[in-house]
Amino acid sequence: MTALPKRQQNRILRERRILDAALVVFSQKGFVSASMDDIAAEAGLTKPTLYQYFPSKDELFTAMMTEERDHMLESFEYPSASGMVAELYAFSWHYADVVLRPDMLNLARLIIGEAQRLPDVGRAYQASGPDRVLAGMIAYLERQRAAGRLVFDDAELAAEDLWGLILSAPRNRALHIPDAVPDRGTIERYIRNGLRVFLRAYSTAPEKDLAALSSLTPPPATATE
Amino acid sequence: MTALPKRQQNRILRERRILDAALVVFSQKGFVSASMDDIAAEAGLTKPTLYQYFPSKDELFTAMMTEERDHMLESFEYPSASGMVAELYAFSWHYADVVLRPDMLNLARLIIGEAQRLPDVGRAYQASGPDRVLAGMIAYLERQRAAGRLVFDDAELAAEDLWGLILSAPRNRALHIPDAVPDRGTIERYIRNGLRVFLRAYSTAPEKDLAALSSLTPPPATATE
DNA sequence: ACAATTCTTAACTCATAAGTAAAGAAATCG
DNA sequence: CGATTTCTTTACTTATGAGTTAAGAATTGT
């Protein structure tokens, strides 16, 4: 009874296809060089049809960004593990897997490249991505502090230290050099070292935590890789 | 006797002006949206004249990037101070002052935004900027290790930890949100905290070094700010 | 002061891309 | 099955920008 008419279903599917195509083409070519003909072709339809769904290139871009922002929010779940160290390790790996995905890097490049022209987009990206993850991490770290496992004055700085330690170098390199996405061994190296520094600086039981870190193994490569 | 004819002097000056204008306009608008008319106007001359100096937009961009790369290399000198902690602090501030300059951030955004289209430019930027600074820092840290002040297994990772700790968060935010260049108090906060974490993790005399850090004050704001 | 060089002005060609219109074909609906 | 809706095809307008030309003005050199 709630089944939509075929026509409406098709409209929803086509809109979906257009937004996906827009993401691909904008990410590859940047806003200006991506043409509406290219995006229509990528979506498997024609430009006049595309214009029936989105009245202008700007509106398509904005809609695509809004959609992607919502998708981004879904990516940052918190893996559960046994113990703070295992949790930090699992999350570091999860975060790395998301952030270093080629499509995510392409999107980041797009946003950074357009940040001057579209300040709201940059702001929205920062709010839905990094700031959101940071807020979650701050809460997590404060819980660990309350449980006596960590000590720090400023939870925000501690959370930012963690990202800086585990992913700053590979991500920056990958942003500058698209071919330079690190392999899993390299990511492991950064994560492990970053967590060591973090635990040495903030843990109330550094020896025990470093030993726990030594026993952890990286997660299997995800199918999306 | 070595004085160049006025004509040659003017050519050199004009070329300089064109490259400066190119940097400004490309940084503000990105490669595609920056027009040769805009750049000529910024340089205070006309498009046909501009084409007398640089045969195409691509070649102007490449020349501008090459020029900027050489400029970048000049920016990363090593301030001298008394003691390792003071040296790290001074350099952290120096690095922050360079990297967070609006024009440097604009250039970084430009490079990141064009990285897919111009992989060589991204590679050259990485090699002349971050990799270069990193190499210097690695050498410095290894000297401190040899002198018994630091302990680490991997100098490269230690050097990357330092950048990640002191500047990763503010720089990323500034890349996404052009208005969000941090004030000096915020930079101080990141640098001080970052160095604390670094010293706690790697110093052979953490208490002493943290005390030394406490006594340091930020450098005066530079005139270029 | 005159000649040579360089720049400016004004106009141009060509290509590209955003956005649009109309007619016919295809898909869906009742 | 005919009516309606939606999409495709084809062609179009307009604007923009890379790159170019020619004539006259300005600058430099001798």
Side-chain angles (χ1 to χ4, degrees), chain B residues 18-221:
Chain B
I18 291 168
L19 290 172
D20 287 347
L23 175 62
V24 169
V25 179
F26 280 134
S27 294
Q28 283 175 0
K29 299 192 172 193
F31 178 76
V32 174
S33 299
S35 75
M36 294 296 264
D37 270 318
D38 288 341
I39 294 166
E42 178 73 30
L45 39 81
T46 64
K47 191 167 66 165
T49 303
L50 174 54
Y51 275 98
Q52 275 178 32
Y53 286 78
F54 297 95
S56 72
K57 190 176 183 181
D58 273 348
E59 292 208 22
L60 174 59
F61 188 79
T62 300
M64 184 273 286
M65 280 296 177
T66 303
E67 180 76 13
E68 271 309 296
R69 194 190 65 204
D70 294 343
H71 265 201
M72 219 183 291
L73 290 177
E74 295 167 14
S75 298
F76 295 119
E77 12 152 284
Y78 291 82
S80 54
S82 37
M84 180 185 76
V85 176
E87 271 170 349
L88 288 173
Y89 184 75
F91 189 75
S92 295
W93 262 106
H94 179 69
Y95 190 53
D97 279 337
V98 172
V99 167
L100 295 174
R101 255 173 33 204
D103 63 322
M104 280 295 213
L105 286 167
N106 282 344
L107 183 64
R109 267 188 225 103
L110 175 63
I111 286 153
I112 290 167
E114 299 294 330
Q116 195 112 287
R117 200 178 66 89
L118 300 170
D120 288 345
V121 171
R123 213 168 277 123
Y125 172 84
Q126 179 75 21
S128 60
D131 287 351
R132 189 78 181 225
V133 174
L134 192 71
M137 203 65 216
I138 289 171
Y140 177 81
L141 293 182
E142 279 177 334
R143 289 200 298 276
Q144 299 306 321
R145 175 169 60 175
R149 296 195 195 98
L150 298 176
V151 61
F152 47 76
D153 296 328
D154 188 324
E156 185 188 16
L157 283 176
E160 287 185 343
D161 289 339
L162 186 56
W163 309 140
L165 288 166
I166 61 174
L167 273 185
S168 172
R171 183 173 181 262
N172 281 332
R173 183 165 282 111
L175 284 177
H176 300 143
I177 310 176
D179 292 344
V181 178
D183 60 34
R184 287 185 92 72
T186 302
I187 301 174
E188 169 69 2
R189 181 168 164 247
Y190 283 113
I191 289 176
R192 202 168 280 277
N193 180 74
L195 284 176
R196 274 200 293 259
V197 172
F198 186 82
L199 293 169
R200 269 191 238 132
Y202 291 122
S203 167
T204 52
E207 302 299 340
K208 193 191 74 170
D209 286 343
L210 291 178
L213 181 59
S214 299
S215 69
L216 298 172
T217 57

Side-chain angles (χ1 to χ4, degrees), chain A residues 7 31 61 72 101 133 216 221:
Chain A
R7 284 222 143 104
F31 178 76
F61 187 79
M72 216 182 292
R101 256 177 26 207
V133 175
L216 298 172

Side-chain angles (χ1 to χ4, degrees), chain A residues 32-33 106 109 112 116 122 125-126 131 154 156 160-161 165 169 173 176 189-190 193 197 200-202, chain B residues 32-33 106 109 112 115-116 122 125-126 131 154 156 160-161 169 173 176 189-190 193 197 200-202:
Chain A
V32 175
S33 299
N106 281 344
R109 268 188 223 102
I112 290 168
Q116 195 111 287
Y125 172 83
Q126 178 75 20
D131 287 350
D154 186 325
E156 185 189 14
E160 286 183 343
D161 288 340
L165 287 166
R173 184 165 282 114
H176 301 143
R189 183 167 162 250
Y190 283 114
N193 179 75
V197 171
R200 269 192 236 130
Y202 291 122
Chain B
V32 174
S33 299
N106 282 344
R109 267 188 225 103
I112 290 167
Q116 195 112 287
Y125 172 84
Q126 179 75 21
D131 287 351
D154 188 324
E156 185 188 16
E160 287 185 343
D161 289 339
R173 183 165 282 111
H176 300 143
R189 181 168 164 247
Y190 283 113
N193 180 74
V197 172
R200 269 191 238 132
Y202 291 122

Side-chain angles (χ1 to χ4, degrees), chain A residues 1-5 8-9:
Chain A
M1 292 305 2
T2 56
L4 291 172
Q8 272 198 37
Q9 289 184 38

